[in-house]
Amino acid sequence: MKKRLFTLGLALMLIVGACGQQPQATPSAGGGLPADAAAVAQERGLTPDDIYAALKTYMPSGQTDPYIMLSSGGQSGQVYVIGVPSMRLLKEIAVFTPQSWQGYGYGGSGDEILAGGFMPDGAELKWGDTHHPNISETNGEYDGEFAFINDKANARLAVISLKDFETKQIVKNPNTISDHGGAFVTPNTEYVVEGPQYGVPLGWEYAPVDEYADQYRGLITFWKFDRVAGRVDPSRSFQIELPPYWQDLCDAGKLVSDGWFFCNSFNTELATGGVEDGNPPFEAGTTKNDTDYLHIFNWKKAEAVFQAGQAETINGMAVIRLQTAIDEGILFFTPEPKSPHGADVTPGGEFIVVGGKLDPHVTVYSFEKIQAAIAAGGLATDPYGVPVIPLDKVMEAQVELGLGPLHTVFDDKGYAYTSLFLDSAVARWTLGGPYDDKNPEDGWTLVQKLPVQYNIGHITAAEGDTASPDGQYVVALNKWSIDRFANIGPLMPQNFQLVDISKTGDQMKVIYDMPIGMAEPHYAQIIKADKLKAWQVYPEIGWNPETMSVDPSAITSEDQARVERNGDTVEIWMSVIRSHFKPERIDINKGDRVIWHVTSLERTPDATHGFALSGYNINLSLEPGETQTIEFTANQSGTFTFYCTEFCSALHLEMMGYLTVKP
């Protein structure tokens, strides 16, 4: 027993010292370990690695994480905000799906934002499948101003302001019905790029699948982002028509490769399925070829072609036709590993790393060699006439990592980290070339395979997609958890595992498991917390979060609260402050059109109020200084209550009022 305590105590002293902290001078039980801590460690059977993990991830009350992770929420349609390394869930950002706690989609401005992403005929879309969040960049570095997220299910893009971590805009792509390769930003967020997924006729018009090769197409969209307005501008955006391969994930070139863009594709077989008719299923038909095509775009040349008027307008959107893209030198292909799922540009922009799910290697492409091959010309073409650069002309290296390589991220020590889906592992390997002297190992070498639990999909690193990654941490976004958490039924949580990558060599360690029990996240990005300058209260009383300005219908004091009738329209200006509404009694007639402006007069951080109107499916969240407007027709007569849904004060339960509707 004493030997065990001494060992744990010595381990704890060494670990604390390594973390840059000093052991407390408290009563100890051998080796300097506090007696109560030693007892806990002994009782729980904790190892030195367990104690190290606890010290690396524990965040004392009142302290905040040095990093913030923005994670997609998959079928939830939302985005999640998580502290790193504590792995504490801080917020769910409502995006494509109504969210009642935030009052999003229940009567306020969220209704208008959601409507911006409805189908062209107005058909409602009230859920999404979010996949790839991207944080806005300046000179290839996260700047902490905006985030963007795609909806794979319906080919939509959303803009989130990181001033208040709320959605500001949703746009529906007019020419494709699903996307996967979005949302990826160019190095100065000139464009937010939305890749497609499955080939369809442009505008998803009807065409028989038997006419796939001729009538179906791929499409990549460059949404122009207006940073001042905080919105994408469809009128300044353009698309590029592509062959009907299934374009997948993308990444923008940076520094030496700025102005170029790279996307995976699969199904170069042009498989059309039909297992019910005796045809090969998609899973077989799309994996016959030994290679697929990495798509290489000169997006700055595409921008010039668009601005010169060489695009065709289809469903209100400028489209650079495939032949124009070929003729103008915008689009090139090169073979890539079979069934790829990740195209990732190194921090300096020198290389593009591609993993193929059915190839144990990652293939590394040299941007310099790509440029040389394009300049040399004389390239063969694919069946659609796109120039194809031979693999041996552009490949820098291949590194054998294991089974099912998918996505790759980078650190500050010249290492790359690739998720291995079939191996359920994170592979650490070395970059070569200008990264050779950043670590002890030779370039292009596998260093360590760390088992994770289980079936890792995406992977993310601290500042890992920027021109200057931080290192320190990687998060494995695992699809299965199986035995990691308590059994709560057949639908099990996903598992985010935090990996310590602070040491070189084969010293990676899993130090935290975080259950994600409300979604199936896909990708995430991790930003330094000090880059985020979020508000604690809105800048002025009467702030409209949708327009990010003072609402002209807002009031600034209780004295301005009132009810006015104009025919069968009733307009209400209501103030909200602890612990009452004004007015508290509102009397209207059945059939009246109601316009209700609700303004929080609070200026204290975290003094959030709610506004719920029973029977009318209306619920708002009112952060300090916020104004919301709801409009509805009083189609039910009777007596209805409204009340504050946030426990705002000792007299919270008394914060209510009556809406009486005369028959």
Side-chain angles (χ1 to χ4, degrees):
M1 173 73 171
K2 290 183 178 179
K3 183 176 180 181
R4 169 74 170 170
L5 291 176
F6 177 80
T7 302
L8 284 169
L10 180 60
L12 183 58
M13 285 199 302
L14 292 173
I15 292 166
V16 170
C19 293
Q21 303 175 22
Q22 296 298 319
Q24 295 182 3
T26 56
S28 61
L33 181 66
D36 52 355
V40 171
Q42 175 68 20
E43 179 183 354
R44 298 189 62 195
L46 299 180
T47 67
D49 278 349
D50 296 331
I51 297 171
Y52 177 87
L55 290 172
K56 287 285 286 189
T57 58
Y58 175 66
M59 196 59 56
S61 180
Q63 295 187 22
T64 58
D65 289 288
Y67 295 98
I68 297 295
M69 177 165 63
L70 297 182
S71 169
S72 65
Q75 305 92 326
S76 74
Q78 319 294 40
V79 169
Y80 297 105
V81 184
I82 299 166
V84 175
S86 74
M87 303 303 284
R88 296 181 294 194
L89 177 63
L90 303 177
K91 185 175 183 179
E92 176 186 62
I93 303 174
V95 185
F96 296 110
T97 304
Q99 211 270 11
S100 55
W101 174 58
Q102 297 170 54
Y104 183 76
Y106 292 94
S109 60
D111 290 18
E112 296 180 24
I113 294 169
L114 286 165
F118 289 171
M119 294 292 281
D121 63 358
E124 294 187 355
L125 298 172
K126 289 290 187 74
W127 79 284
D129 184 12
T130 57
H131 275 242
H132 303 106
N134 253 220
I135 298 168
S136 58
E137 295 182 8
T138 300
N139 297 325
E141 305 287 353
Y142 301 149
D143 57 35
E145 294 187 359
F146 298 93
F148 310 92
I149 187 70
N150 71 309
D151 167 24
K152 174 179 175 176
N154 304 293
R156 295 184 292 173
L157 178 76
V159 179
I160 298 166
S161 171
L162 298 182
K163 287 293 187 183
D164 60 357
F165 284 72
E166 292 191 5
T167 302
K168 304 303 173 186
Q169 181 187 26
I170 298 174
V171 290
K172 170 73 186 83
N173 196 309
N175 287 320
T176 192
I177 195 60
S178 69
D179 70 39
H180 184 238
F184 302 104
V185 301
T186 53
N188 284 292
T189 321
E190 301 97 334
Y191 293 93
V192 185
V193 184
E194 178 191 12
Q197 179 77 99
Y198 308 119
V200 294
L202 294 183
W204 64 93
E205 300 290 342
Y206 172 78
V209 178
D210 290 342
E211 299 176 6
Y212 186 88
D214 295 328
Q215 298 298 321
Y216 286 56
R217 288 293 180 266
L219 195 72
I220 189 168
T221 304
F222 287 77
W223 292 103
K224 181 65 176 176
F225 184 62
D226 184 333
R227 192 182 286 266
V228 174
R231 303 289 189 275
V232 296
D233 183 351
S235 70
R236 298 163 61 200
S237 305
F238 64 90
Q239 301 176 316
I240 303 173
E241 180 188 16
L242 303 171
Y245 312 135
W246 292 356
Q247 290 79 25
D248 197 42
L249 299 185
C250 308
D251 201 5
K254 57 177 75 79
L255 299 179
V256 300
S257 53
D258 187 13
W260 292 76
F261 209 81
F262 310 93
C263 292
N264 293 130
S265 73
F266 58 109
N267 195 21
T268 50
E269 299 85 353
L270 303 181
T272 57
V275 63
E276 66 280 1
D277 295 324
N279 298 324
F282 276 117
E283 63 181 334
T286 61
T287 55
K288 288 181 179 179
N289 293 346
D290 290 333
T291 59
D292 288 291
Y293 284 136
L294 176 66
H295 290 39
I296 302 167
F297 299 91
N298 185 334
W299 70 258
K300 287 194 174 178
K301 184 172 284 188
E303 179 185 52
V305 167
F306 159 62
Q307 292 173 346
Q310 294 177 256
E312 180 179 332
T313 300
I314 302 176
N315 295 320
M317 190 79 165
V319 179
I320 298 173
R321 285 293 198 170
L322 176 58
Q323 191 59 52
T324 302
I326 295 169
D327 294 343
E328 296 294 331
I330 292 170
L331 176 64
F332 301 88
F333 292 159
T334 192
E336 62 181 346
K338 189 173 187 175
S339 194
H341 197 60
D344 302 290
V345 178
T346 54
E350 309 92 346
F351 306 113
I352 304 96
V353 179
V354 173
K357 298 191 295 289
L358 302 180
D359 186 317
H361 303 85
V362 287
T363 300
V364 182
Y365 298 81
S366 163
F367 179 71
E368 182 179 358
K369 292 180 180 180
I370 289 172
Q371 295 301 291
I374 291 172
L379 301 174
T381 64
D382 84 326
Y384 292 89
V386 179
V388 179
I389 308 171
L391 179 60
D392 61 358
K393 298 291 186 183
V394 294
M395 188 177 76
E396 181 74 16
Q398 279 192 325
V399 185
E400 185 171 348
L401 301 181
L403 300 179
L406 297 179
H407 310 282
T408 300
V409 291
F410 308 96
D411 71 4
D412 58 339
K413 296 182 284 293
Y415 290 119
Y417 302 83
T418 299
S419 55
L420 302 177
F421 179 78
L422 296 176
D423 271 348
S424 287
V426 172
R428 169 187 259 182
W429 53 282
T430 55
L431 298 172
Y435 304 91
D436 254 337
D437 60 353
K438 290 181 176 291
N439 53 61
E441 296 85 9
D442 293 335
W444 314 125
T445 302
L446 174 63
V447 176
Q448 182 185 4
K449 283 170 62 174
L450 176 72
V452 293
Q453 291 76 37
Y454 300 94
N455 292 359
I456 179 175
H458 282 269
I459 187 171
T460 186
E463 299 269 327
D465 291 330
T466 70
S468 56
D470 269 25
Q472 301 300 321
Y473 302 106
V474 153
V475 175
L477 284 69
N478 302 316
K479 299 300 182 183
W480 288 15
S481 59
I482 306 178
D483 55 7
R484 298 293 98 178
F485 310 111
N487 181 5
I488 54 171
L491 181 58
M492 299 181 184
Q494 311 285 298
N495 186 16
F496 279 13
Q497 286 187 305
L498 182 67
V499 178
D500 175 16
I501 61 168
S502 59
K503 300 175 184 177
T504 59
D506 60 353
Q507 299 300 305
M508 289 193 298
K509 295 180 180 179
V510 173
I511 58 175
Y512 200 91
D513 284 23
M514 177 189 182
I516 302 291
M518 59 294 206
E520 187 216 358
H522 294 271
Y523 191 51
Q525 287 190 328
I526 303 173
I527 183 174
K528 292 177 182 176
D530 61 11
K531 289 184 176 181
L532 297 167
K533 308 298 180 186
W535 297 321
Q536 285 194 311
V537 299
Y538 281 112
E540 300 178 55
I541 290 176
W543 196 262
N544 183 327
E546 182 186 5
T547 64
M548 295 295 273
S549 62
V550 173
D551 194 305
S553 298
I555 59 177
T556 57
S557 70
E558 288 190 89
D559 294 341
Q560 297 169 345
R562 62 195 186 276
V563 178
E564 295 180 359
R565 174 176 287 278
N566 182 10
D568 61 358
T569 297
V570 177
E571 192 161 6
I572 305 158
W573 288 264
M574 173 177 280
S575 63
V576 182
I577 195 165
R578 288 165 290 176
S579 299
H580 62 274
F581 299 101
K582 185 180 179 181
E584 292 182 328
R585 296 188 299 179
I586 300 168
D587 191 44
I588 62 175
N589 301 320
K590 184 178 180 180
D592 281 345
R593 177 171 174 259
V594 180
I595 305 172
W596 201 327
H597 312 290
V598 188
T599 299
S600 168
L601 303 181
E602 299 283 1
R603 303 308 291 155
T604 303
D606 212 8
T608 296
H609 292 286
F611 175 83
L613 177 59
S614 302
Y616 276 88
N617 199 40
I618 289 171
N619 183 55
L620 305 176
S621 177
L622 298 161
E623 287 76 63
E626 181 173 351
T627 286
Q628 286 284 345
T629 295
I630 53 178
E631 297 188 34
F632 63 96
T633 298
N635 54 16
Q636 303 177 72
S637 60
T639 300
F640 303 90
T641 57
F642 54 87
Y643 68 98
C644 177
T645 54
E646 284 276 343
F647 204 110
C648 57
S649 71
L651 297 176
H652 161 72
L653 293 178
E654 289 78 6
M655 191 170 176
M656 63 84 64
Y658 286 103
L659 171 70
T660 52
V661 183
K662 297 177 184 177

